Amino acid sequence: MFEAKIDEIGLLRDSIATVAELIDEAELHIKEYGVQMIASDRAVVVVVDFYMTRDMFKEYKYTEDARIGINLQNLLQILKRAGETDSLTIKFADGKLDLTLKGVSTRKFVLPLIDISREETPPIDKLDFSSSLIVNSEILGSGIEDAELITDSVIFTVRKDQLTMKGESDSSFTQLDLMKGEGGLRITDIGEPVRARYSLDYLKKIVKAKKFSPEVKLSMANDYPMKLQFEVAGKLQLGFILAPRVEE
C-alpha cells in the first residue's frame, strides 16, 4: 500500500507536463525514499530520469516497493483540474490508483493502471561525460528558440571559458555565445573542447522545465549524448539524456 499527500500540485503538474511532451506512458517506481520514473520515448532518442523525494510530499505512507503503469496524459488532465489552493492525495492499493483533490470541495478520480512493456532502457548510469556546466535555463531556452528560426538542429560547443550554441542552414546561421561568469554560466568540468549537434524538436520540449528550475546542468562529450539536469533542491530532479544528431 502507498498513500501520499502533496500541496505543491503546481510543481508536480509542470514536471509531468514536460515529461508528457516526450513520453505517453511510463512506470512509476514507488520506493521508501521517493518516486522514480525512468523511461525512453518510442524512438529511444531521449531517456527521462524523473525523481521526487519523499520530502516533496506533506505525507508519505509506504509499506513496500511497487511499480505503477500509467498514461501520463491522463494523469496530467487530472492535475490540470486542481485549484491553486487544492491538495492532492494519491493512494495505490488493491490494484488501482485513487487521486483526491481537496480544496473548497473534495473531488475523487480513479486512474486506470496499464501494463508497461519493460523494454531495455539504455544504460544511462554508464555514460562517461568529459565536460559539465551550469547555465541559466532562460538563456538556454533563448538559444534554442533562436536556432529554431532557421534550422532543425543546434550545435553546442564548450571550451574552458565559453559555451556556444549555433544553428546553421545553407544560407544563414544564428549563434549564441556565453562567456564563463555571464548568465550564470559555470563550467565545472572540462577536458578537451566539446562539440555535438542535437535535435531542436526534442530540446524545445525539454527546456520547458525552465518553468520550475532557473538553472540547468549540462553534461556532454564529443558527438555523444547530452544530459540536461533540472532540479528543485531537496524535492525533485528531472533529467533528460538526449542522443546526438549524427552529422553527415
Side-chain angles (χ1 to χ4, degrees):
M1 193 275 288
F2 168 73
E3 184 173 346
K5 181 179 179 181
I6 183 170
D7 290 337
E8 296 181 86
I9 299 179
L11 177 56
L12 176 61
R13 180 182 58 239
D14 292 342
S15 55
I16 292 295
T18 304
V19 175
E21 290 270 351
L22 300 160
I23 295 171
D24 300 324
E25 301 172 346
E27 192 173 61
L28 300 180
H29 189 183
I30 309 299
K31 302 180 180 181
E32 182 178 0
Y33 299 107
V35 180
Q36 186 172 32
M37 174 204 310
I38 299 178
S40 64
D41 72 317
R42 296 182 187 278
V44 200
V45 174
V46 66
V47 176
V48 176
D49 185 358
F50 178 46
Y51 180 65
M52 295 180 290
T53 73
R54 66 183 299 159
D55 289 338
M56 181 170 167
F57 300 88
K58 186 175 183 180
E59 299 174 7
Y60 195 90
K61 300 176 182 177
Y62 159 95
T63 55
E64 61 182 0
D65 282 11
R67 293 183 180 272
I68 305 172
I70 59 171
N71 181 291
L72 294 178
Q73 287 294 340
N74 290 346
L75 174 60
L76 182 59
Q77 288 173 0
I78 294 172
L79 295 176
K80 286 181 176 179
R81 298 296 304 148
E84 291 185 4
T85 60
D86 285 358
S87 64
L88 170 67
T89 299
I90 304 168
K91 183 177 180 180
F92 172 66
D94 302 323
K96 63 178 182 177
L97 189 66
D98 295 326
L99 299 103
T100 302
L101 293 173
K102 186 170 180 60
V104 176
S105 62
T106 299
R107 292 172 287 161
K108 297 183 178 181
F109 304 85
V110 176
L111 192 64
L113 303 184
I114 56 178
D115 291 327
I116 304 293
S117 60
R118 296 185 184 177
E119 298 178 357
E120 186 173 347
T121 302
I124 58 176
D125 57 332
K126 296 181 180 179
L127 291 172
D128 185 18
F129 302 105
S130 63
S131 300
S132 60
L133 57 142
I134 297 170
V135 66
N136 181 282
S137 300
E138 289 289 346
I139 292 176
L140 177 66
S142 293
I144 291 169
E145 291 174 8
D146 289 348
E148 194 178 13
L149 294 175
I150 62 170
T151 186
D152 62 356
S153 64
V154 61
I155 299 169
F156 283 76
T157 304
V158 182
R159 300 179 179 86
K160 65 178 182 179
D161 57 359
Q162 182 178 354
L163 166 66
T164 298
M165 297 173 63
K166 183 177 181 180
E168 56 186 359
S169 64
D170 292 339
S171 58
S172 59
F173 80 93
T174 179
Q175 183 167 310
L176 181 151
D177 292 313
L178 196 62
M179 301 301 296
K180 191 173 181 179
E182 297 176 343
L185 177 62
R186 305 193 299 279
I187 299 176
T188 56
D189 186 26
I190 181 73
E192 60 183 0
V194 169
R195 184 182 187 276
R197 182 190 296 267
Y198 301 96
S199 164
L200 284 169
D201 185 52
Y202 281 88
L203 283 170
K204 69 181 181 181
K205 295 173 181 177
I206 291 170
V207 81
K208 290 182 180 181
K210 68 182 181 179
K211 188 171 184 179
F212 58 83
S213 179
E215 292 185 329
V216 54
K217 180 179 179 181
L218 308 180
S219 301
M220 303 173 60
N222 269 315
D223 296 324
Y224 197 72
M226 173 169 61
K227 182 177 182 179
L228 302 94
Q229 182 81 20
F230 300 86
E231 183 174 353
V232 178
K235 296 181 179 180
L236 180 150
Q237 296 174 1
L238 180 54
F240 301 89
I241 294 84
L242 179 63
R245 173 77 69 85
V246 178
E247 298 191 61
E248 298 180 357

